[in-house]
Amino acid sequence: MLSTSCYLRTWERFISEGVLDSNRLNKRIMESWHRCKKDQVNPYLNKGKHILTSELLDIQKEKNSFLLELASPQLSRMNQSIKESGMMALLVDPDGYVLSLSGNEKILNEAGKINFVEGVRWTEGEVGTNAIGTALKTGEAVMIQGTEHYSIASHKWSCSAMPILNEDGKILGVLDISCPVEYSHPSMLGMVANLAYTIEQEMGVRSYKKELELIQHSIELAETYPDRFFIICNHKEMIISASKLVRKKVPQSIGMALSDLLNHGYRIVKENLLLSKEDNRISGKCLFLSENHGHKTNRLFPASMPSEVFDFKGESGISESFQNTLQKMKLVAPTEANVCIFGETGVGKELIAMAIHENGSRKNGPFITINCGAIPKDLMESELFGYVDGAFTGAKRQGHKGKFEQANGGTIFLDEIGEIPLAMQVALLRLLQERKIVPIGGTKSISLDIRIITATHRNLEELVNDGSFRQDLYYRLNVYPIHVPSLRERIEDIPYLVNYLCLKNDWHIPLTEELLKRLKDYNWPGNIRELQNVLQRLTILLAEGPLDYIQVLNSMHSLPIARHDDIPSLKEGGKKCIKGNELTIREKIQRDLMLEALQRSRGNVTAAAKFMDIPRSTFYKRLHKYGL
């Protein structure tokens, strides 16, 4: 299907009127157009917008190293024929980022004009209907040509894409072959499908080899430990081999899920990760078991044995300062020691506490958080220790479980412990000694089995010296101190944190070198929390229209990374024109961008409007609106 004037009129009518003749387009393309219109994708977009910096692209490639390793030899094998056909081949990850791009040099140069380059994000949400994005969305092979594309950026291109699926049917990535419409050939889709199928076959071969390795490992273990209970699991926690003792007790164990076997009266006493000889990646694990006589059990780890893999739900980055913090967390997590976390506001102390809890023996128990600085002093006792029915006027009829009782069997995290009043410090010290509480108005004590983790941004030693914090309590809580570095102590982690926050929250901010440099140059008194707030504000502002985000940073007074000293003329111009408190944030930005455009064009309104990429009539309306 070539880009004829007929199809161009179909596209124009749909864009302007929302009308679409179902006989004109393939069903999948029609569905995609409607998705794009619903999501307000810009049909007049003439190039890709979201391009990763080289640093972030390296991170993305590392995340998808297995896909690159599988696909690269196949793409290299086909490269010469793709070049001679006037085409290019792309490998794209599940997030829509182009990981590699090869082929005809002339075609690659043409693709660069629309930012169809390594690191660009080419999803439906970014650039509308296209072979890559639509294949990711539908999980199907697709060929899209000319004005079948939703945005004009791709109207001169013909593209064929095929998802690469792993053995579980999950999309591992997408292969795409593209060329200008005039070089298009019906065999393109067949070529890309054949490539994808070959990669999937290679994946299957590797998976089979890994299972053979695991079985061989099981044979060696059986000879070494003939009287031990053990099993070998693959990466999906399916049992592929088991010792004679396990098979005797559970004959159907081979092929069983690990969780099902544990319900036959076993518990895990030791876990070893197994690496593939071919690529040194984790291929499975060996689990040594013991029997739990008389009852069934779920998966249990002894408190004295650290887990092989430490699960941290944040972004650890690469800085030495935070890697030291992680190492301390790994060491203390499997113990019962009281931990005190020190660090400035916004560094993520609660995330650290949660990681310690989730990697310890109490991970299946509750994790209760309380901010000691946010509770009024007269309510703190009832909040922490609870109360019984009728304890005081206004008390709930059924009483109330305090935070310590709620945390029984798990972990309680006392944030801002430095704010706790002296009277409560005495009660907390008694709790630490006796491991019991008596709710307000009650007579019976409640035994507690909890781990206590505290945190503060204050210097507890200074509080002890000035008499506002008990020394004996300090020593009981500060058994294992962990310092969490500020963001300015881990500047090299900023690109990783930005990428993590954007992916986690689905924020589409162009992460260029210039933006990352601005972020690295700032002092960040609010740390990661402040960084997240800045990124969220940028996302909101950029969603309102095609603003230059660096200009937004320069002119936005409420953004901490603005450098007002660099643009004094903008500030002065703004003061002369209109009172700032009469404008919204959006209007202030528009006004300042207009002033800068006028300065760059030396007062030429036509040129200034071009600088801002808006119609001259719109520029004049805003001149009048802002009294410029």
Side-chain angles (χ1 to χ4, degrees), residues 378-443:
D378 54 344
L379 295 180
M380 185 167 286
E381 187 179 3
S382 62
E383 190 68 24
L384 291 178
F385 301 117
Y387 54 83
V388 298
D389 181 15
F392 50 83
T393 303
K396 293 178 182 177
R397 179 171 296 178
Q398 69 276 21
H400 169 69
K401 272 188 179 182
K403 296 292 185 182
F404 282 105
E405 190 176 354
Q406 292 175 36
N408 215 354
T411 303
I412 187 165
F413 174 54
L414 301 173
D415 199 6
E416 299 302 346
I417 190 65
E419 310 300 325
I420 195 167
L422 280 168
M424 285 305 302
Q425 291 178 34
V426 175
L428 181 55
L429 185 63
R430 188 184 307 118
L431 181 148
L432 287 167
Q433 291 168 342
E434 299 176 0
R435 295 286 165 167
K436 293 179 181 179
I437 59 166
V438 178
I440 298 173
T443 55

Side-chain angles (χ1 to χ4, degrees), residues 598 601 603-616 619-620:
L598 285 169
S601 66
N604 186 311
V605 172
T606 301
K610 283 185 178 179
F611 277 134
M612 293 188 63
D613 196 25
I614 61 175
R616 187 173 61 172
F619 197 94
Y620 272 117

Side-chain angles (χ1 to χ4, degrees), residues 142-395:
V142 63
M143 184 173 189
I144 297 180
Q145 303 197 74
T147 50
E148 290 177 338
H149 291 93
Y150 189 76
S151 294
I152 62 173
S154 304
H155 276 191
K156 295 181 181 179
W157 290 85
S158 174
C159 308
S160 297
M162 174 84 172
I164 301 167
L165 306 179
N166 66 14
E167 54 195 356
D168 299 322
K170 184 180 178 182
I171 294 178
L172 194 65
V174 167
L175 269 176
D176 173 88
I177 292 180
S178 296
C179 65
V181 170
E182 56 267 27
Y183 297 143
S184 180
H185 194 278
S187 66
M188 284 172 61
L189 192 58
M191 287 172 64
V192 79
N194 183 57
L195 269 172
Y197 178 72
T198 303
I199 292 168
E200 289 175 354
Q201 289 282 91
E202 174 63 21
M203 206 183 315
V205 170
R206 289 196 180 200
S207 179
Y208 177 69
K209 285 181 179 178
K210 284 181 179 179
E211 295 224 347
L212 286 179
E213 277 186 32
L214 293 175
I215 291 171
Q216 180 60 39
H217 193 85
S218 178
I219 294 170
E220 294 169 2
L221 281 172
E223 294 173 354
T224 309
Y225 303 106
D227 300 322
R228 295 286 297 276
F229 291 91
F230 69 83
I231 55 173
I232 303 288
C233 295
N234 63 15
H235 65 287
K236 293 186 287 185
E237 295 206 334
M238 298 296 294
I239 299 168
I240 64 167
S241 185
S243 67
K244 186 176 180 179
L245 292 175
V246 173
R247 295 198 310 272
K248 185 176 180 180
K249 183 175 179 181
V250 188
Q252 70 275 27
S253 57
I254 308 299
M256 184 181 284
L258 171 61
S259 56
D260 291 338
L261 181 73
L262 294 178
N263 284 323
H264 281 75
Y266 289 110
R267 69 184 181 94
I268 299 168
V269 295
K270 188 178 181 183
E271 175 177 335
N272 292 328
L273 296 179
L274 303 176
L275 301 179
S276 167
K277 294 176 183 176
E278 184 177 359
D279 54 21
N280 207 38
R281 288 193 178 91
I282 295 172
S283 58
K285 53 191 169 185
C286 171
L287 303 170
F288 287 92
L289 311 172
S290 70
E291 291 184 285
N292 283 316
H293 299 288
H295 67 280
K296 294 182 180 181
T297 180
N298 290 322
R299 183 174 181 172
L300 297 172
F301 289 92
S304 60
M305 191 188 112
S307 172
E308 293 288 335
V309 179
F310 188 84
D311 182 24
F312 178 61
K313 290 187 169 57
E315 172 56 60
S316 56
I318 59 172
S319 66
E320 184 179 350
S321 60
F322 195 74
Q323 297 309 309
N324 289 337
T325 300
L326 272 179
Q327 185 59 31
K328 288 182 178 180
M329 292 158 58
K330 291 177 184 178
L331 289 172
V332 80
T335 75
E336 289 293 299
N338 292 336
V339 177
C340 191
I341 303 169
F342 297 90
E344 295 178 5
T345 300
V347 294
K349 295 189 287 294
E350 184 174 346
L351 193 63
I352 302 296
M354 189 178 294
I356 292 170
H357 166 75
E358 291 180 346
N359 288 275
S361 60
R362 299 174 179 275
K363 63 182 178 182
N364 294 321
F367 178 78
I368 303 297
T369 298
I370 185 164
N371 187 328
C372 299
I375 306 172
K377 292 180 181 179
D378 54 344
L379 295 180
M380 185 167 286
E381 187 179 3
S382 62
E383 190 68 24
L384 291 178
F385 301 117
Y387 54 83
V388 298
D389 181 15
F392 50 83
T393 303

Side-chain angles (χ1 to χ4, degrees), residues 573-612:
K575 289 176 184 175
K576 291 177 183 176
C577 298
I578 194 168
K579 292 180 181 178
N581 59 9
E582 295 177 7
L583 298 177
T584 65
I585 290 172
R586 170 79 175 175
E587 290 168 338
K588 287 177 183 177
I589 293 168
Q590 286 181 344
R591 179 198 62 188
D592 289 344
L593 293 179
M594 289 174 67
L595 284 168
E596 183 175 341
L598 285 169
Q599 288 167 355
R600 290 171 64 186
S601 66
R602 297 185 179 181
N604 186 311
V605 172
T606 301
K610 283 185 178 179
F611 277 134
M612 293 188 63

